[in-house]
Every structure is written in structure tokens, then in C-alpha cells.
Amino acid sequence: MTEFAFTCTGVRADAYAAGPTLVFRLRITAAGGARVHAIALRCQIRIEPARRGYGPAEAEGLADLFGERSRWGNTLQPVQFAQVSVMVPSFTGETETDLVVPCTYDMDIAATRYFQALAEGEVPLLMLFSGTAFTGDAGFRVEPVPWDREASYRMPVAVWREMVEQHFPGCGWLRLPRDTMDELLAFRSRHALASWEATVRTLLDAAAPAEPAAPPGPVRLGAILPRLTERTAP
């Protein structure tokens, strides 16, 4: 069996992808300078939230995922981020390859909510590898990539934000049921609103509580009692 080792050396946002995409750079090493014809590699990526600290604002943003901070000892469990495959071409001893990870800005996805809650710092990731390797100097043999192969990587939060800004500059994304969308569209048409932003803003303004009336100012005595020079009704 060929001994494989995996290391993540970096990550970048793909500026030319059709949708939000991260590209991780992997270094793959085959022990003893072994000849590898190809690897059909699978990679599962998990977020390890217990491996970093969080400020008060971040903890508030993570409350819907992990509950109150007092419960995090039990609730701060790994979060599934992605599961992708890549075909690694022929190499001898060591090679590097790109691992392309399509992402989503759907706030119903736990990983997206986690990323969105972070203000700065790094995201602790764990990459779990498996797959099939085709090796051998003369001819080839087929062998599995052991299930215990893994690599840790701390992805800068700034890379995630850069990726999102490339595709959704200054915007968010919200998924709604079809009947709710139909009602919103009808509301927008009835009020001749120019955009979805104007539609939501109109609804928010209508739902905002009315500001309390200002308390009356101090009463001046002369404003109630007639002046001595004025005549009163008989």
C-alpha cells in the first residue's frame, strides 16, 4: 500500500467562476517517491467551530446554530461544509492540485450562517480524504486512499467575504416559499414599486412601531387664565 499524505497550502476566491467558488491548493505526497498514475480523490470538508474563539457579536450571530454560549460545551459540534471530488493526474513522489469547492450564499445552510457570523480571523477546517489510487512502476495496481487521511487548514474569513462580494456585492440572499413570493409580487405590483428592495422596505416601514408622542411641555399659567385686561363671558 502506498502511503499518502495531504496538506492544504492555501485558498483563493475564483474571480472567474459563474457562482461563488473557493479553490483550495492541495499538496499530495506519495511516500518513497512512488509512481502514481492517477488518483480519483474525494474530499469532505468540515468546519471545526470549537477550535477558535468568538467575540460577543459573533456569539450573538451564532446563537441560532449553537444556542447560548453557556451551552457551547455540548453544542459546538462540527458543521458540514462541502463534499467534492477531483481527478489528480500522474505524478511521482509529490504534486499539487486545485480542489474546487462551489459555495452558496443561502442563509438556510448552516455553514453559510457560520461564515456570515464571523467578523474576522480564521475558519478552522478539517479535510477528510478517501478515494482510489492507480499506482505502480510497471503496469499499475489499484489501491484505496486510506480513510484516515486528513489535513487541517485555517481559512481566512476575508477570503470568504471576498468571494461573496464578487458575486453579491453589498447584498444578501433569502429563500422564500413560492406562495410567499407570489404574495410579495402581487404587493409589489399593486403599489407599483420599482424593486424588491423598495418592496421589502415598504413592508418594514409599515410594520415599524409608531414613535410615541412627545410629552406635553410645561403649562404656563397665562395660557389658561385670562389676562386682567381681557373680558370674560358673562
Side-chain angles (χ1 to χ4, degrees), residues 161-176:
R161 296 196 176 279
E162 176 190 353
M163 177 197 70
V164 171
E165 284 298 311
Q166 287 176 355
H167 295 274
F168 306 105
C171 298
W173 192 93
L174 183 65
R175 183 176 62 181
L176 296 172

Side-chain angles (χ1 to χ4, degrees), residues 120-132:
E120 57 185 10
E122 298 172 330
V123 180
L125 300 177
L126 180 64
M127 298 179 167
L128 306 172
F129 298 98
S130 61
T132 303

Side-chain angles (χ1 to χ4, degrees), residues 131-148:
T132 303
F134 303 88
T135 63
D137 292 326
F140 68 91
R141 63 178 181 270
V142 180
E143 55 185 277
V145 175
W147 281 85
D148 62 351

